[in-house]
Amino acid sequence: MYAAGVIQPLLSPYRLEAAARMFALPRLDSLKLTLPSCCLWLLTTSLAAQSTPSQTPSPATPTIRTGTQLVIVDVSVSDHNGNPVHGLKQGDLILTEDKTPQDVRHFEEHSASDKPAGPQMPAMPPGMFTNYTAVPADSTLNVLLIDTLNTPMKDQSFLRDQLTQYVKKAAPGTHIAIFGMSTRLYLLQGFTADPEMLKDAVEHKLIPRASSLLDDPVGTGADATNMSDIASDSGAPTEVVANLQQFEAEQESVQTQFRVRFTLDAFNALAHYLQGFPGRKNLIWFSGSFPLSLSPNPDISDPFAVIADMEEEFRETTNLLTRAQVSVFPVDARGLMTLPSMSAANSGSKYVTNPKAFGADIQKFSQSQFDEHSTMDQMADATGGKAFYNTNGLSDATAKAIESGSNYYTLTYSPSNHEWNGKYRSIKVALSDAARAQGLTLTYRRGYYALSPDNAKKPEQSAVVSEAVAAAPGSASNYARLAMQRGAPTPHDILIKVRVLPVSDKPDDTLATGNVVNPAKPLKPPYRRYQVDLVALTQDFAFTKNADGTIGDTIEVKLNLYDTDGNLLNVAGQTAQIKLPADKFKLLLQNGLQYHTQLSTPAKGETFLRIGVHDLSSNRFGVVEIPTSRISHLPPAPAAPPPPASNPAPPKP
């Protein structure tokens, strides 16, 4: 078994090699499309095959064969001025788990100054797209998460100005991706070290959005007029006022619970996406509130009615982040906070009729600040990051978070406790006597939940990965749902390349065969029809050998068409149960999995085509998203081939 942090460094050479193999597969523009539309090449080969099964060839996937359990801990070391410290030796850091000394098996120093160049993407022909992202195999990746779900619009505008300042002075070679979060996760800019691309994303994609789940979506700071306040001012009975206060508090709690679940779902999806990249990732989370804990409200008749237990969801999220080797740096986007009761936006009239309300508001504000800062610190401690609050220098906080997360030491150990009972295990890293005298500060994740993936209800709940699923992502149902949503991160568990070309330069009035339009958003002619040709790397699928010697798997290909608002317009695809003799499987390894179909889109207007391959056995995904504006000007696809013979021979590699 392996703890999550170890998986990606071990597999990073494989992903680079796999990408090279994928681009070496037959070029889609040179394939002879001799198969009918909406047909998997390997499925047709299976049905036509009559040969005797032979010995199964060993796939070119990396196989990690060991029963050892490994845990990885990234430790950032800083001096009394907050500057990173380099040059420490293995003996300078002493690691214990549950107060038991552990033998460090691997020790490695990482420096922000060591920024290897990323692998070069091969030139892609017109109409060709891939989900492969070229990032350095041995460098730190950084993610800026803009949380519009929990942040008022005023603070979003302030954050945008601060990030504009940061990208202008970001250190060269810093690889950054930008995500947005509302009720789900959006990819705004993929990983890049190009400052112009980052600047363009910040200036044109970080559009302030109001969150309907916030009490003050704009961020005016003015007190909202509640029914309980109106009832109290009008002299209503005390019991009526108390009941109204209870109702309002419970409604607010429901809104907060929605924000908690949307937030955790977004973090889970992001962890799944980042798990496919090697090495450490720093997640800088900019938010106007951090609603991961709900405390009793002493101001209402039933204080405990607003409590929601999120411990299991929080544990699952932190374990997912651990598996993906992600450290979270929460940053309070509101800057330095002041008492709302002192704001000029408040008239203060309620304090005239109810003098006790002033002290109650101060206490409520102080408790809210304490809870949110505690949540920020808890998330940072659980993942090895650091929280930033009560500062207006968000640009400087971003720079410090990236610097701290890019200079660190990696310690790997095999736990001496072999009982995986789901309990929390604390990790402590201490300095040797010589290093302690320098007054250094250590930042690292403080523990993990020792859940065995073999016994967990859901594999993604475990921070430890068994040998059988060492290279596979978790199987959360939410991940399967979000993977094909418009604007979401494009999973790359399965590496694919896709060619999309218009069938003709003229619109037509006939919907492509196999297309299913959304009845709520029906497409109307004229249409523009596209030929879609896909090839995927066979080694990324979980093919298994059956008792009869054949090799099988269940694979789903989906094509979703969306409008600019994210509404689903049209769907195509196929699910196939594969069963191949070994000699035909060898051909599949050489040629890759190929799929050909056609999809109709509106003849006018921008739409987005999201193409995905899903291995149902391992829950791995490969997805690309393509704006049709990038392909509508391309030349038409080759003419459709004649129908195949009744018993066609499989194409040669």
Side-chain angles (χ1 to χ4, degrees):
M1 295 183 191
Y2 291 85
V6 182
I7 297 304
Q8 297 307 328
L10 290 176
L11 294 183
S12 58
Y14 160 67
R15 297 309 289 176
L16 294 177
E17 178 189 350
R21 287 202 305 274
M22 182 192 68
F23 287 110
L25 290 172
R27 288 168 58 101
L28 286 169
D29 53 358
S30 65
L31 287 175
K32 294 182 179 179
L33 306 181
T34 58
L35 300 177
S37 178
C38 295
C39 183
L40 286 175
W41 176 85
L42 56 88
L43 180 59
T44 304
T45 304
S46 172
L47 295 176
Q50 301 294 332
S51 59
T52 304
S54 59
Q55 182 67 29
T56 304
S58 64
T61 52
T63 303
I64 307 172
R65 301 185 181 280
T66 175
T68 305
Q69 300 160 342
L70 297 177
V71 176
I72 187 170
V73 182
D74 292 330
V75 183
S76 298
V77 184
S78 57
D79 59 20
H80 61 281
N81 293 321
N83 300 315
V85 175
H86 297 286
L88 296 181
K89 306 301 180 183
Q90 180 169 338
D92 293 328
L93 298 176
I94 304 170
L95 189 148
T96 60
E97 180 181 288
D98 287 344
K99 300 182 180 180
T100 303
Q102 304 295 318
D103 181 22
V104 176
R105 302 179 55 176
H106 176 75
F107 180 90
E108 183 178 3
E109 181 180 355
H110 303 268
S111 173
S113 60
D114 301 330
K115 294 179 179 177
Q120 296 297 317
M121 285 282 289
M124 301 290 284
M128 195 81 74
F129 306 91
T130 180
N131 64 341
Y132 173 68
T133 301
V135 297
D138 191 27
S139 70
T140 304
L141 301 178
N142 305 283
V143 175
L144 308 183
L145 178 60
I146 315 303
D147 183 356
T148 64
L149 173 69
N150 301 298
T151 308
M153 294 180 66
K154 175 179 67 67
D155 299 318
Q156 294 178 43
S157 299
F158 174 63
L159 171 61
R160 178 181 174 182
D161 294 338
Q162 290 287 302
L163 290 181
T164 301
Q165 296 180 26
Y166 169 75
V167 297
K168 289 180 179 179
K169 60 182 181 181
T174 304
H175 281 77
I176 297 176
I178 303 177
F179 288 80
M181 184 179 76
S182 57
T183 54
R184 63 184 182 89
L185 190 67
Y186 293 89
L187 175 61
L188 302 178
Q189 171 60 55
F191 284 109
T192 180
D194 185 345
E196 291 301 320
M197 293 183 66
L198 293 172
K199 180 181 176 182
D200 180 73
V202 170
E203 292 180 350
H204 298 101
K205 296 182 180 179
L206 301 190
I207 303 173
R209 303 177 187 276
S211 173
S212 60
L213 295 176
L214 289 175
D215 290 335
D216 185 9
V218 178
T220 61
D223 287 336
T225 303
N226 298 321
M227 290 187 295
S228 58
D229 295 332
I230 297 175
S232 177
D233 294 341
S234 63
T238 304
E239 183 180 357
V240 173
V241 174
N243 290 338
L244 287 173
Q245 290 176 340
Q246 181 75 33
F247 171 77
E248 291 165 351
E250 292 182 14
Q251 286 294 105
E252 182 181 353
S253 174
V254 170
Q255 285 185 312
T256 304
Q257 289 180 50
F258 274 120
R259 289 194 288 127
V260 171
R261 297 193 183 280
F262 286 140
T263 300
L264 293 179
D265 281 349
F267 269 86
N268 293 354
L270 186 55
H272 279 296
Y273 173 73
L274 295 177
Q275 188 176 345
F277 294 98
R280 171 170 171 150
K281 279 76 67 175
N282 300 314
L283 174 56
I284 298 94
W285 175 23
F286 300 98
S287 181
S289 73
F290 301 83
L292 300 186
S293 63
L294 297 175
S295 303
N297 185 350
D299 296 330
I300 56 179
S301 56
D302 185 2
F304 295 93
V306 298
I307 293 181
D309 183 10
M310 300 291 180
E311 180 180 354
E312 183 175 352
E313 290 86 348
F314 184 81
R315 179 176 63 181
E316 179 180 345
T317 297
T318 55
N319 275 353
L320 273 170
L321 295 170
T322 298
R323 288 165 62 100
Q325 205 176 346
V326 176
S327 295
V328 181
F329 294 81
V331 180
D332 195 332
R334 297 167 296 185
L336 185 61
M337 294 289 292
T338 58
L339 285 170
S341 54
M342 300 297 184
S343 173
N346 293 320
S347 64
S349 58
K350 71 174 183 178
Y351 301 135
V352 176
T353 57
N354 185 10
K356 294 182 179 180
F358 185 80
D361 284 350
I362 294 178
Q363 182 179 1
K364 181 179 180 181
F365 172 78
S366 300
Q367 184 63 45
S368 173
Q369 289 286 283
F370 175 79
D371 290 342
E372 291 194 350
H373 294 168
S374 298
T375 298
M376 295 171 68
D377 290 330
Q378 182 183 3
M379 176 65 84
D381 289 343
T383 59
K386 180 182 178 181
F388 295 86
Y389 42 79
N390 288 335
T391 175
N392 290 329
L394 303 186
S395 175
D396 293 336
T398 305
K400 290 179 181 177
I402 291 179
E403 181 184 41
S404 174
S406 301
N407 298 274
Y408 60 97
Y409 298 85
T410 296
L411 283 67
T412 304
Y413 70 97
S414 176
S416 57
N417 183 359
H418 302 293
E419 183 181 358
W420 300 95
N421 52 15
K423 295 183 178 180
Y424 183 80
R425 296 184 182 180
S426 62
I427 296 175
K428 182 178 180 180
V429 180
L431 293 164
S432 64
D433 293 339
R436 191 183 306 115
Q438 303 178 41
L440 306 180
T441 302
L442 306 182
T443 303
Y444 56 93
R445 63 182 177 99
R446 303 293 174 165
Y448 64 98
Y449 293 94
L451 284 168
S452 170
D454 300 324
N455 298 326
K457 290 183 291 184
K458 293 190 293 184
E460 70 275 6
Q461 290 181 337
S462 173
V464 177
V465 184
S466 68
E467 181 181 47
V469 294
S475 58
S477 58
N478 279 343
Y479 179 54
R481 175 176 56 84
L482 295 173
M484 290 299 295
Q485 284 190 341
R486 155 87 175 97
T490 51
H492 48 112
D493 316 322
I494 299 172
L495 294 180
I496 62 176
K497 60 180 180 180
V498 179
R499 185 186 68 177
V500 184
L501 293 175
V503 172
S504 171
D505 55 359
K506 298 180 180 179
D508 62 74
D509 296 331
T510 306
L511 200 67
T513 304
N515 286 207
V516 180
V517 299
N518 182 1
K521 289 279 184 178
L523 293 181
K524 297 180 180 179
Y527 308 112
R528 186 173 297 279
R529 186 178 301 191
Y530 291 95
Q531 175 70 38
V532 180
D533 306 311
L534 176 148
V535 62
L537 196 67
T538 312
Q539 289 86 351
D540 285 341
F541 294 89
F543 284 96
T544 56
K545 187 175 182 179
N546 301 316
D548 60 358
T550 59
I551 303 169
D553 196 3
T554 303
I555 297 172
E556 179 184 41
V557 181
K558 295 186 68 175
L559 292 84
N560 289 356
L561 182 70
Y562 296 93
D563 62 15
T564 54
D565 295 326
N567 297 310
L568 185 63
L569 303 177
N570 193 10
V571 174
Q574 182 180 358
T575 300
Q577 291 186 344
I578 313 305
K579 192 174 183 181
L580 289 173
D583 57 339
K584 304 304 178 184
F585 183 73
K586 185 176 181 180
L587 285 177
L588 181 63
L589 285 175
Q590 296 171 350
N591 283 344
L593 183 147
Q594 300 174 22
Y595 179 79
H596 316 285
T597 191
Q598 292 185 351
L599 190 83
S600 293
T601 73
K604 296 181 180 180
E606 175 76 297
T607 52
F608 296 85
L609 176 57
R610 197 166 177 95
I611 304 170
V613 179
H614 182 197
D615 183 354
L616 298 180
S617 301
S618 63
N619 204 46
R620 296 176 183 172
F621 279 88
V623 178
V624 295
E625 183 172 304
I626 309 165
T628 52
S629 59
R630 294 182 58 187
I631 53 180
S632 59
H633 64 285
L634 297 173
S646 58
N647 188 19
K652 295 181 180 180

